[in-house]
Amino acid sequence: MDSVSPKSLLDFRFLLLLSLDLVFLLLLDLGALLDLQHAGLGQSDGEVFSLGEASLSFQLKDAFVASQDISSSLEPVTGLQGPVNRHLLLLPTGTLRHHACWAQILDRIDNDRGKSPEPAGRNRQHPVTVQDNGLPCYRQGKPAIWRGLPGRGHKPMIAAESGQRMKFRTIAILISFGIATSIMALLWRSPLPGRADLVIGNGTDPGSLHPHRATGNPEGRIIRAIHEGLVLLDPETLDPMPGCAESWQISADGRHYQFQIQHGLRWSDGTPLDADDFVRSWLDLIDPLQGAPYGDLLESVTGARQWRNGTGEREQVRIQSLDSTLLEIEFDHPVPWFLYLCAQTPLQPVHPDSAGRAGPGIATNGPWMLTRWSLRDRIRIETNPEYRGPSRPTLKSIDFLAAESANTQLNIFAAGLSDWTVRVPAAAIPILRSDPIWSPRWRADPYLGISFYRLNLERPPLDDPAVRRALSLSIDRQQLCRDVLGGDPEPAYGFVPWPSPAIERQQQKLIDRGIPSALTSGLPGYRAMVAIGSEYNGLHGVIPAHQVASEDWPRLGYDPRTARELLSEAGWRVPGSTEGREIPTLEILHPSGSTSSLVAQWLQLAWKRELGLDSTIQTLEWRSFLDVQRAVDYDISRSNWIADYPDPATFLTLFTSDSPNSRTGWSDSEYDQSVALALAEGDPELRMQLWQQAEKILLERGPVLPLWSMTSGNLVSEEVTGFFANPLDQHDLRAIGRRSR
Amino acid sequence: MIRFRTTRSPIPTLCICWLLLTLLVALITPILPVASPDTAAPERAWSAPGDGHLLGTDALGRDLFSRILWGSRISLACAAAGAFTALIFGVSWGLLAGGGTARRDNWMMRVVDLLDSVPVVFLVILLASVARGSAWQHAGGGLALFFVVLGIVYWTPMARVVRGETRALARREWAVAATALGTPSSRILWRQILPNLIPTILVTVTLIIPRVLLFEAFLSFLGLGVQAPEVSWGTLARDAFEVLNPVHTAWWMVAFPSIALALTLLALNILGDALRSDLDPKLRR
Amino acid sequence: MSRLLLKRLGASLVTIWAVFTISFFIIRAAPGGPFDADRDPPPDVKRAIEERYDLDAPLWSQYLAQIQGWMMLDPGPSLRQPDHDVASILSAGLPISLTIGGLALLLGTAVGIFLGLIAALRVGGWLDHLVVVIASVGISLPLYVIAGMLVLAVSFGLGWLPPAGWESVPSLIMPVLCLALAPAAQAARLVRSGLIEMSSEEFARTARAKGISPFRVLFRHCLRPALIPLVATLGPTAAALLTGSLVIEQIFAIPGVGMHFIQGALNRDYPLVLGAVLLYTVLLQLMTLLADLMLLSLDPRLRGDAA
């Protein structure tokens, strides 16, 4: 069903089904309604009399004796003249029991009625039925159920044989059921022309498919397929390749970019696409009034910050089209990751008529277009006939399934209904890695994300650096990764994930599992820093990671003995001794989710065992958790951070004093300065060194407890080709194909 | 001992025995020589029954048998919380509504209808977040709040049943006669009507408790239920669901908690039905 | 009777309004907002986003705006999925939930009545107990455990049915089956106890004395009054079933309405969750009204009050 239409409540199929369902239910009560109607409207020709107690029988008996005609027998009692036809006599309780003559009277009424022989079977009519104050009674073995109670006055009533009523009701039910089922069958006949070329279990129904509003990966996957930015990324190396732009030039200082846009590009509605569309889209992205969540990605464009502060104007932002195919952009400081950004979701061009919405009716410019969005079911994209860009994808149609539960996604994949799923339940991962049936399909590739705990340095005992180091040293991250996470992620001892020793180990794991894909490095050119235990090869404190051999990596930060020494030197009590202050209880805060819960419990046990530290675990639902974290009302709280682009800046700018996402209350002017210097530096080598210094400060006195470098988890069917590992888990659908079924 | 006249079979008595056994085990669990439910031995995670672990281990290597035993404590506490609130609030509300004027009855039942229509999840989220930072948060190990939620949700069925019965009873001749004699209505309600309701109340309680336990399991499914490191049958059911996939089927994690839960709930349901048939005054001769 | 209906209608409207108001203020009181994320935009951008959806206005004016929106049947876009309005989201899922819920209601009630009948025929015997146990199994375990086991057994063990999805008739069978377990259990128990009660009444014993077979006595004469307690609870049961079940929809990937109640609350998607609450309440009032009409036909004693 199309959903981008106002007043979809008037969708005829919905109305039809709703009304038919109501009719169906009403038909079930049609019998009752008819009865009540008759009770109210007096369409019968009978009457009901409620007779008094004692005097009745004598009167009637006498009258009966007096006259053989039943109507004249009843006349003095009921006052009714004429033939006794369709009458109901209501007696007080117990009258029947006490006056056996009634049976005779009733039989006489029956025989009296028709001089003609009684017709056989169900068509026999009982014009007179006697009721004993409302309860059903029996005559000649046939039940006579009546309907309704008369009121004070005379309300006409029909008493019909129950068999007829039952028949009517059964027919009504069957008819309405038949109607309802045929309508339901109609609804399923929705035009779903077979299975798409590729079916992806996308993890959730996307939020918004508008490039400026989208925030997550499920949205991003679809948007990057139906839109095309200036640049595309090589599926393996993430190097920039021509997209809408045929070529580009970067100035020597890294602050000016010029793009030549291909001629003849079109939107999916046929209108032409040129540089002005990019200018408008990017300015809208930066526009503070439009509130794009990722607008800050372009904040370093000259003039952007002023505009967002309110001190500048839209026209002063240095994004310009020199003519219809030449685009120019200028930055305040070098942004080496800008080409990467051009391929990302927020920087995709947006059609002028989109008005902030996306959907099957809105034009886009990618090799596919959105043809169907069945809410919470699937999204289908199909080949865009107006596409004029450089990609030559092989898939003609792609479905994105919106199943939410990880178990369901796995079931769908296991049943062969999807070819690639992005979410699996954590409990399945150990088997997926090791079982020979599943292992070739399970891709756990390094993902530029770090899983860590935020620390609140205002709360004791976390204000003591010795305690912080002890907490870190007493965690065996290797064991944590193996036990709780299934063994794919690697321990992390620094804040920028996947330094070279970790990458080497990950490569070895893949080789051991027989996965042939080549693996790229985590962050090209960056040599991360790591905080180590007591000492390594004569080095102490925070050292460059590449100086660590990969076999030493797992145990690098695990040294409980040193942890206990640090604590006792700082005056805290350690297990096995009675001197020193007792360490206050820590509260471990985490959002609901099985992995977070297991990690928290694991930490609780590890700290108790190694340091004698007591901790409590507090779980909150996701948004309540974010609220508490923002208010810095925690001791330690679970966190992840995923790279926006492949550069250390995306990690290390998180904890500057003016970052909106710090959520730790930590502010260090030396760190701020260090970050600012690194951001402004043009020379790549020097920049990397400056970032290393910033990371060193963060690890020495910052509010982080790094745990592991994240891995992406994808289950990919063996028939899918072109699926390469890359550290940003961006698998361009243009490169993906399918072997014949 | 109650003899079950209607069914004349031993099954309801068996149910009572099972429930008493569960209650007993739950109470004495702390002194039983079983492993602690918290002892994580991650190297033995997901091990099948046998070899030191009677019923196997879970994701962190914790013994399943002891988790079931300890879980029964929390689950029964939840049941008690639901039953208690139903008894206190539900009965009083129903009595006052059924025994009062039509107007009061109408308004009181409107409130009940209203409360039934408001989605419970809102209340759960709200209460959990409101309590943070206050003394409530850690009361009873964080569970006190949870019990409050259960109570809020489950007193309404009791209120409805009690109100219906009270209405019927209040129109009986002896109640009318008592009013005519000048007995204050509160006395009629509490001294004369209430004792007649005890069978119904008993039946309703045995039928509310399974719903409470299933609701607790549902909240665990959403991630809003009893939180680690506390363990309850609801969390065990949630853990069981995690392994109900074709890749990793740790059957012991599904079978044993399910058997424990199913037997208990079945016992409660069967008992409730038997009590209902047995305590029906119409059958008394 | 029309006066009765009007009075009921009025009471229903008041209830709907009250539920709406209470839900509105409760969900707004919960901490966190719809646009909170791990990666928040700068505060002024967040403010701009909230302004776009009028979330910065005072609470009272937002409340009135919502009421007005719903009276025009135009409540505006969902906060989590701003490409769609709440009306289209709900109307996309409602037919599906109605289908599954309606089938589950029919199946569950029919099977439950049948089971109750069998149990009442042989009260106290082994068949009675067997039937009660079978009927109660559906409510003795959390629904997701039963559904998970069923999927594993039928889809992967036997390979008969697809494990999830909304594509064809076979993919319907398991969700309807799981959803029907609870009404079947309730129907079986209520009908069984009702039949036991009715079969000790005078008219039933009279009928038996006349030589009518036990089955006929139960089925044709006792069943109707025994259905009264079942129909009394049919209203809320039907409403709950027809609005789907979160568990079933999640496990079987059914795009119905049930998810929105809970997911909407967790996502703080205020218009959507209020829409879901309204939908549920309206359906509840409607189903209760229909059930009361059915009751009027089944139980003659009520009609004196009705008039």
Side-chain angles (χ1 to χ4, degrees):
Chain A
M1 267 187 238
D2 234 347
S3 48
V4 185
S5 56
K7 305 291 190 263
S8 296
L9 272 178
L10 302 179
D11 182 274
F12 83 97
R13 280 192 290 186
F14 164 65
L15 276 184
L16 191 61
L17 179 69
L18 188 61
S19 47
L20 278 162
D21 272 324
L22 284 178
V23 165
F24 166 45
L25 288 162
L26 281 176
L27 278 177
L28 280 180
D29 297 309
L30 200 54
L33 288 176
L34 271 182
D35 294 339
L36 297 175
Q37 185 190 34
H38 280 292
L41 298 182
Q43 294 205 336
S44 75
D45 54 354
E47 294 201 30
V48 175
F49 296 95
S50 174
L51 303 176
E53 181 46 83
S55 58
L56 163 68
S57 56
F58 296 109
Q59 277 185 320
L60 203 51
K61 194 168 165 203
D62 291 342
F64 178 65
V65 164
S67 155
Q68 295 305 305
D69 180 4
I70 190 60
S71 46
S72 32
S73 312
L74 287 176
E75 189 187 309
V77 176
T78 63
L80 188 70
Q81 294 164 340
V84 176
N85 201 14
R86 301 166 79 80
H87 283 169
L88 178 70
L89 296 173
L90 186 66
L91 309 175
T93 318
T95 316
L96 263 189
R97 263 199 292 261
H98 299 315
H99 302 284
C101 67
W102 273 108
Q104 294 175 332
I105 294 176
L106 294 171
D107 285 336
R108 275 289 297 278
I109 291 174
D110 252 351
N111 295 330
D112 219 34
R113 215 197 93 254
K115 305 301 175 199
S116 53
E118 293 198 350
R122 293 176 84 74
N123 290 329
R124 240 174 81 191
Q125 297 209 348
H126 294 267
V128 177
T129 313
V130 181
Q131 297 298 327
D132 197 329
N133 200 26
L135 295 175
C137 71
Y138 295 85
R139 286 181 52 240
Q140 297 170 356
K142 261 200 157 335
I145 312 272
W146 60 284
R147 306 234 165 273
L149 255 181
R152 296 274 161 241
H154 305 312
K155 286 228 176 82
M157 238 18 208
I158 293 179
E161 197 180 284
S162 65
Q164 286 179 328
R165 186 68 50 183
M166 198 81 101
K167 199 164 70 169
F168 170 79
R169 196 171 270 251
T170 319
I171 292 176
I173 291 176
L174 285 174
I175 291 178
S176 42
F177 189 64
I179 295 177
T181 30
S182 21
I183 294 304
M184 293 167 202
L186 259 183
L187 267 188
W188 278 321
R189 198 78 55 204
S190 322
L192 193 70
R195 195 187 197 273
D197 284 347
L198 187 74
V199 179
I200 304 178
N202 206 15
T204 181
D205 201 22
S208 172
L209 287 183
H210 191 276
H212 295 168
R213 308 267 172 95
T215 51
N217 273 335
E219 292 87 6
R221 258 175 226 115
I222 302 175
I223 292 177
R224 286 194 298 271
I226 61 178
H227 291 260
E228 191 152 282
L230 286 178
V231 160
L232 292 173
L233 299 176
D234 182 277
E236 275 191 86
T237 61
L238 295 182
D239 289 334
M241 298 185 327
C244 286
E246 290 174 317
S247 58
W248 51 85
Q249 292 82 40
I250 313 174
S251 68
D253 60 359
R255 292 174 48 214
H256 284 87
Y257 286 74
Q258 216 180 54
F259 294 89
Q260 286 80 41
I261 296 181
Q262 183 185 333
H263 280 279
L265 290 176
R266 303 226 202 120
W267 293 101
S268 59
D269 62 355
T271 55
L273 170 75
D274 58 21
D276 290 322
D277 288 300
F278 278 93
V279 173
R280 178 186 39 80
S281 304
W282 290 0
L283 286 177
D284 284 343
L285 179 67
I286 303 175
D287 189 347
L289 292 178
Q290 299 218 10
Y294 278 84
D296 52 291
L297 286 180
L298 287 183
E299 222 172 40
S300 36
V301 174
T302 307
R305 200 161 284 140
Q306 289 82 350
W307 183 25
R308 282 160 82 84
N309 285 343
T311 55
E313 293 291 319
R314 182 185 175 110
E315 292 69 33
Q316 294 169 342
V317 179
R318 290 297 307 258
I319 305 175
Q320 290 154 346
S321 60
L322 301 180
D323 62 42
S324 72
T325 58
L326 212 54
L327 180 65
E328 197 178 68
I329 178 166
E330 184 189 320
F331 292 93
D332 281 338
H333 60 74
V335 183
W337 56 83
F338 181 63
L339 284 178
Y340 173 85
L341 275 188
C342 287
Q344 295 311 301
T345 309
L347 269 75
Q348 307 286 324
V350 174
H351 194 271
D353 297 337
S354 74
R357 290 190 115 161
I362 311 275
T364 57
N365 73 322
W368 293 278
M369 50 191 237
L370 184 63
T371 53
R372 180 194 169 93
W373 188 343
S374 297
L375 281 162
R376 294 199 44 238
D377 180 25
R378 68 187 64 218
I379 290 181
R380 172 164 291 201
I381 65 177
E382 287 171 357
T383 310
N384 174 9
E386 300 284 349
Y387 176 68
R388 299 280 179 272
S391 321
R392 298 286 171 265
T394 56
L395 298 168
K396 299 222 174 2
S397 58
I398 306 177
D399 268 351
F400 295 85
L401 299 182
E404 291 257 356
S405 151
N407 263 36
T408 310
Q409 296 250 334
L410 182 60
N411 287 349
I412 292 178
F413 182 84
L417 296 172
S418 72
D419 304 305
W420 166 18
T421 191
V422 305
R423 261 184 79 182
V424 296
I429 294 181
I431 308 285
L432 289 174
R433 292 186 74 222
S434 52
D435 187 306
I437 304 176
W438 291 101
S439 178
R441 309 185 216 164
W442 171 244
R443 312 290 282 266
D445 304 312
Y447 185 34
L448 271 179
I450 178 88
S451 193
F452 63 106
Y453 266 77
R454 279 180 165 86
L455 306 172
N456 185 351
L457 300 184
E458 306 287 315
R459 297 253 179 111
L462 295 168
D463 45 0
D464 184 350
V467 170
R468 300 202 293 270
R469 278 200 72 203
L471 286 178
S472 178
L473 288 174
S474 53
I475 305 174
D476 185 356
R477 290 167 175 77
Q478 165 79 341
Q479 201 180 37
L480 175 64
C481 289
R482 210 183 47 224
D483 297 334
V484 177
L485 306 169
D488 290 313
E490 275 291 316
Y493 308 101
F495 195 65
V496 178
W498 294 111
S500 41
I503 285 280
E504 282 166 27
R505 289 180 46 80
Q506 194 70 2
Q507 256 170 330
Q508 188 57 46
K509 274 191 235 171
L510 289 173
I511 292 174
D512 292 341
R513 277 175 52 210
I515 308 277
S517 68
L519 195 59
T520 55
S521 60
L523 264 187
Y526 180 61
R527 296 176 163 187
M529 305 295 280
V530 290
I532 61 177
S534 47
E535 63 115 37
Y536 181 79
N537 286 354
L539 301 166
H540 297 265
V542 178
I543 64 172
H546 67 277
Q547 293 180 355
V548 179
S550 60
E551 356 6 299
D552 298 326
W553 184 252
R555 297 286 147 161
L556 190 63
Y558 180 53
D559 197 347
R561 209 167 41 89
T562 310
R564 286 190 284 268
E565 277 170 25
L566 281 170
L567 280 183
S568 56
E569 275 167 20
W572 300 100
R573 191 180 309 172
V574 293
S577 114
T578 46
E579 304 170 349
R581 311 190 298 280
E582 201 176 312
I583 315 179
T585 309
L586 274 183
E587 183 199 60
I588 306 177
L589 181 71
H590 70 91
S592 54
S594 58
T595 310
S596 304
S597 172
L598 287 174
V599 169
Q601 292 173 65
W602 194 97
L603 285 177
Q604 186 184 47
L605 290 164
W607 284 332
K608 179 74 184 167
R609 192 176 53 226
E610 308 285 4
L611 303 177
L613 173 72
D614 284 315
S615 47
T616 60
I617 298 182
Q618 173 73 9
T619 316
L620 285 179
E621 166 263 334
W622 176 239
R623 281 187 162 73
S624 307
F625 168 80
L626 282 178
D627 198 57
V628 167
Q629 204 182 51
R630 201 172 298 116
V632 199
D633 182 23
Y634 59 86
D635 288 343
I636 66 177
S637 68
R638 173 142 157 83
S639 312
N640 289 329
W641 189 255
I642 295 175
D644 292 326
Y645 43 84
D647 192 275
T650 182
F651 290 97
L652 296 170
T653 51
L654 182 58
F655 292 110
T656 56
S657 310
D658 57 354
S659 159
N661 289 305
S662 169
R663 300 205 284 268
T664 53
W666 183 67
S667 174
D668 187 304
S669 52
E670 199 186 328
Y671 183 72
D672 291 344
Q673 264 177 1
S674 177
V675 167
L677 276 177
L679 277 175
E681 179 53 53
D683 176 50
E685 193 58 42
L686 205 50
R687 264 185 67 243
M688 287 304 173
Q689 286 176 9
L690 289 170
W691 283 125
Q692 274 187 318
Q693 284 176 11
E695 192 175 4
K696 187 159 187 283
I697 301 176
L698 182 66
L699 292 175
E700 278 169 356
R701 29 182 212 267
V704 294
L705 177 64
L707 288 179
W708 69 82
S709 299
M710 293 167 66
T711 47
S712 63
N714 289 298
L715 259 185
V716 185
S717 149
E718 286 137 323
E719 295 172 359
V720 172
T721 61
F723 189 95
F724 300 105
N726 62 65
L728 280 135
D729 200 26
Q730 292 200 357
H731 307 281
D732 199 338
L733 291 166
R734 297 160 176 78
I736 291 188
R738 227 190 128 156
R739 286 188 254 268
S740 53
R741 271 163 254 160
Chain B
M1 240 353 222
I2 305 172
R3 275 201 313 121
F4 289 89
R5 282 171 289 223
T6 321
T7 59
R8 239 173 279 116
S9 88
I11 303 249
T13 322
L14 276 179
C15 294
I16 294 188
C17 290
W18 170 259
L19 289 172
L20 285 177
L21 180 68
T22 317
L23 193 60
L24 186 68
V25 167
L27 287 172
I28 66 169
T29 296
I31 61 175
L32 282 180
V34 289
S36 162
D38 284 344
T39 319
E43 61 276 4
R44 310 185 64 172
W46 308 115
S47 43
D51 190 30
H53 291 286
L54 190 62
L55 299 180
T57 63
D58 74 343
L60 279 183
R62 296 176 289 207
D63 180 41
L64 193 62
F65 182 55
S66 72
R67 279 172 79 77
I68 292 181
L69 289 181
W70 282 87
S72 69
R73 290 165 63 81
I74 307 262
S75 290
L76 289 176
C78 291
F84 182 72
T85 330
L87 279 174
I88 303 286
F89 286 112
V91 170
S92 341
W93 196 274
L95 266 182
L96 288 173
T101 62
R103 200 146 169 237
R104 185 168 87 185
D105 176 28
N106 202 18
W107 281 107
M108 289 182 88
M109 281 300 119
R110 286 266 156 269
V111 171
V112 167
D113 282 338
L114 217 70
L115 280 179
D116 272 345
S117 308
V118 173
V120 173
V121 180
F122 298 4
L123 285 174
V124 174
I125 298 175
L126 184 63
L127 279 176
S129 43
V130 155
R132 184 177 168 76
S134 71
W136 274 101
Q137 184 186 346
H138 292 295
L143 290 170
L145 207 56
F146 192 64
F147 294 156
V148 169
V149 172
L150 289 177
I152 288 181
V153 175
Y154 279 102
W155 66 272
T156 48
M158 176 69 85
R160 283 185 205 275
V161 168
V162 167
R163 174 249 184 190
E165 293 280 331
T166 312
R167 265 187 84 193
L169 283 175
R171 303 214 184 331
R172 290 279 184 86
E173 296 85 17
W174 46 266
V176 174
T179 319
L181 282 175
T183 324
S185 63
S186 60
R187 227 177 126 162
I188 301 178
L189 277 181
W190 296 97
R191 291 287 191 83
Q192 297 182 352
I193 294 188
L194 182 57
N196 284 301
L197 292 176
I198 289 182
T200 315
I201 293 178
L202 194 59
V203 170
T204 315
V205 164
T206 56
L207 296 175
I208 284 182
I209 292 177
R211 291 173 61 180
V212 171
L213 291 177
L214 288 177
F215 181 67
E216 191 248 309
F218 174 64
L219 285 182
S220 298
F221 182 75
L222 297 177
L224 295 172
V226 173
Q227 299 298 342
E230 305 288 342
V231 57
S232 79
W233 283 351
T235 53
L236 290 178
R238 176 72 177 101
D239 294 341
F241 179 68
E242 289 268 307
V243 291
L244 275 174
N245 57 65
V247 171
H248 187 185
T249 318
W251 63 269
W252 58 96
M253 286 197 61
V254 178
F256 299 120
S258 305
I259 290 176
L261 191 57
L263 281 180
T264 310
L265 293 185
L266 261 178
L268 282 165
N269 284 324
I270 293 180
L271 190 63
D273 281 339
L275 276 178
R276 185 197 276 148
S277 319
D278 186 65
L279 295 173
D280 187 343
K282 294 202 194 102
L283 300 177
R284 297 228 176 92
R285 289 267 146 201
Chain C
M1 182 172 113
S2 46
R3 242 190 17 180
L4 166 73
L5 276 178
L6 273 177
K7 260 189 7 183
R8 282 293 292 266
L9 198 63
S12 299
L13 283 174
V14 171
T15 311
I16 292 174
W17 168 82
V19 171
F20 182 85
T21 308
I22 294 180
S23 306
F24 179 86
F25 286 104
I26 290 185
I27 191 62
R28 293 309 298 268
F35 303 111
D36 292 345
D38 205 13
R39 185 194 190 283
D40 268 340
D44 35 345
V45 173
K46 211 151 168 225
R47 247 194 316 272
I49 300 178
E50 288 176 357
E51 266 174 39
R52 186 163 61 212
Y53 297 104
D54 291 327
L55 289 176
D56 55 332
L59 210 54
W60 281 109
S61 77
Q62 289 188 47
Y63 170 67
L64 290 173
Q66 282 279 319
I67 294 224
Q68 191 180 21
W70 275 105
M71 298 224 283
M72 317 275 190
L73 288 183
D74 183 16
S78 149
L79 296 182
R80 184 179 105 81
Q81 294 184 304
D83 297 332
H84 300 97
D85 355 289
V86 171
S88 33
I89 295 180
L90 290 177
S91 68
L94 189 60
I96 297 169
S97 283
L98 282 179
T99 308
I100 295 213
L103 285 175
L105 185 65
L106 275 179
L107 183 69
T109 316
V111 169
I113 294 179
F114 176 67
L115 285 177
L117 209 58
I118 295 185
L121 271 178
R122 299 263 182 276
V123 173
W126 62 271
L127 191 60
D128 179 18
H129 290 301
L130 185 66
V131 162
V132 166
V133 168
I134 290 179
S136 303
V137 148
I139 50 174
S140 296
L141 276 180
L143 192 54
Y144 53 90
V145 174
I146 298 179
M149 293 198 288
L150 198 63
V151 167
L152 210 54
V154 172
S155 284
F156 295 105
L158 298 168
W160 286 347
L161 298 170
W166 170 254
E167 279 167 346
S168 56
V169 176
S171 61
L172 245 205
I173 295 181
M174 279 198 291
V176 168
L177 213 65
C178 290
L179 208 50
L181 287 173
Q186 184 188 37
R189 290 158 70 208
L190 285 175
V191 165
R192 173 185 170 274
S193 66
L195 283 176
I196 291 176
E197 212 179 296
M198 285 297 133
S199 58
S200 57
E201 288 278 329
E202 282 167 8
F203 69 89
R205 282 189 278 128
T206 314
R208 276 293 282 130
K210 287 190 167 202
I212 302 178
S213 79
F215 179 72
R216 251 173 99 104
V217 171
L218 278 186
F219 184 67
R220 296 198 74 180
H221 310 313
C222 298
L223 187 59
R224 193 153 289 141
L227 286 180
I228 292 173
L230 178 62
V231 172
T233 57
L234 200 59
T237 309
L241 276 180
L242 291 177
T243 44
S245 150
L246 170 98
V247 166
I248 297 290
E249 291 185 7
Q250 255 198 5
I251 295 180
F252 293 103
I254 310 270
V257 197
M259 278 281 278
H260 296 307
F261 294 97
I262 308 219
Q263 273 310 117
L266 293 176
N267 292 332
R268 308 292 191 276
D269 194 345
Y270 306 128
L272 183 63
V273 87
L274 284 173
V277 166
L278 264 183
L279 186 68
Y280 176 72
T281 317
V282 166
L283 214 54
L284 181 62
Q285 298 294 319
L286 190 66
M287 289 301 131
T288 314
L289 181 65
L290 286 176
D292 282 351
L293 282 180
M294 273 175 96
L295 262 184
L296 275 182
S297 98
L298 281 179
D299 187 355
R301 293 169 288 186
L302 291 180
R303 297 189 206 190
D305 293 344

